[in-house]
Amino acid sequence: MRSLIDILDLTTEEIDELIATAEDIIANPADYADCCRGKKLATLFYEPSTRTRLSFEAAMIELGGSVIGFSEAQSSSAAKGESIADTARTISCYADIIAMRHPKEGAPYVASLNASIPVINAGDGGHNHPTQTLTDLLTIKREKGAFGGITVGLCGDLKFGRTVHSLISAMSRYDGVRFVLISPEELALPSYIKRDVLEKKGIPYKQTSSLEEAMPELDILYMTRVQRERFFNEEDYLRLKDSYILDTKKLEGAKADLCIMHPLPRVNEIAVSVDRDPRACYFKQVLNGKYIRMALIRKLLKEAGTI
Ligand code: NCD
């Protein structure tokens, strides 16, 4: 059974196809309005979410399907001690596809080993978030036209930010990508990603703690929230939470065609005044997330022979 646990489960050709389908859905939504009629998506969310869960649900409804699920662990049998494996077997009796978010790294993978329907990782702890990456890639494609030959600045919590980890994995497969990693030392990108992805593939990157210094060379600026829920103590979070606040002044040295992205939710990292700047793309990203999830649900259900 084909699931999506890591963004590298998809080839670059498959990602191109998903992007092409999403663009076709945007242009011709009526052609897709019935393709999942009678099918059910189960959203199993053991961690808070607004965009990911609701975009999955909106996606399935716009494909003509329906949705069941829970949005907090406490309202499911996890609160009674049920294992992920048993939950996955159970949901396979009710639904055709699962989207799962969990605070533990690897939980959606365990679910995929036990489910008889496709499982989509909707975020596992500080590890991965492949459907946010598909969203980000669709946004970059629509804003920049291609993935190669661009300098991507990733700013904020690169240690715990799962969207950053998946995006680096995905973009490292394209030629001519450079990364600028902008973070305080304590929130630097984990060394396993630097070693196993960037260095192994010879991808040019540099690390800095200064957003202002990095700004002029960036084509994409990917801001992130400091991930409070992954900290071991509140004091460290309070000290680091406002490390970077993007405002109109900091954008003075930026390229005219910079694309400012953020997976959201935003806390303080981007001043609201930046929202009026035509380079702000984060709400476009939100909408792209629904279309690419429509393309993904359709693909996995087709491969499973369900539709
Ligand atoms: C991200 C996540 O859950 O990792 N949110 C999202 O899915 N759009 C980013 C975050 O929570 O900071």
Side-chain angles (χ1 to χ4, degrees), residues 24-39:
D24 194 51
I25 293 171
I26 293 167
N28 307 296
D31 291 354
Y32 296 84
D34 280 315
C35 79
C36 291
R37 183 74 59 207
K39 304 304 169 199

Side-chain angles (χ1 to χ4, degrees), residues 45 47-53 101 122-126 128-129 131-132 135-136 157 160-164 222-230 262-267 269 285-286 293:
F45 275 58
E47 261 197 346
S49 171
T50 297
R51 273 150 295 273
T52 305
R53 184 171 65 84
R101 168 169 289 189
D124 64 328
N128 279 324
H129 194 345
T131 64
Q132 180 64 45
T135 302
D136 300 341
D157 187 346
F160 296 118
R162 55 194 174 194
T163 67
V164 167
Y222 193 96
M223 295 296 295
T224 62
R225 167 181 76 89
V226 176
Q227 306 277 299
R228 181 182 205 156
E229 64 276 36
R230 315 262 180 249
H262 191 310
L264 303 180
R266 144 174 75 181
V267 185
E269 322 68 65
Q285 235 173 311
V286 172
R293 288 182 175 100

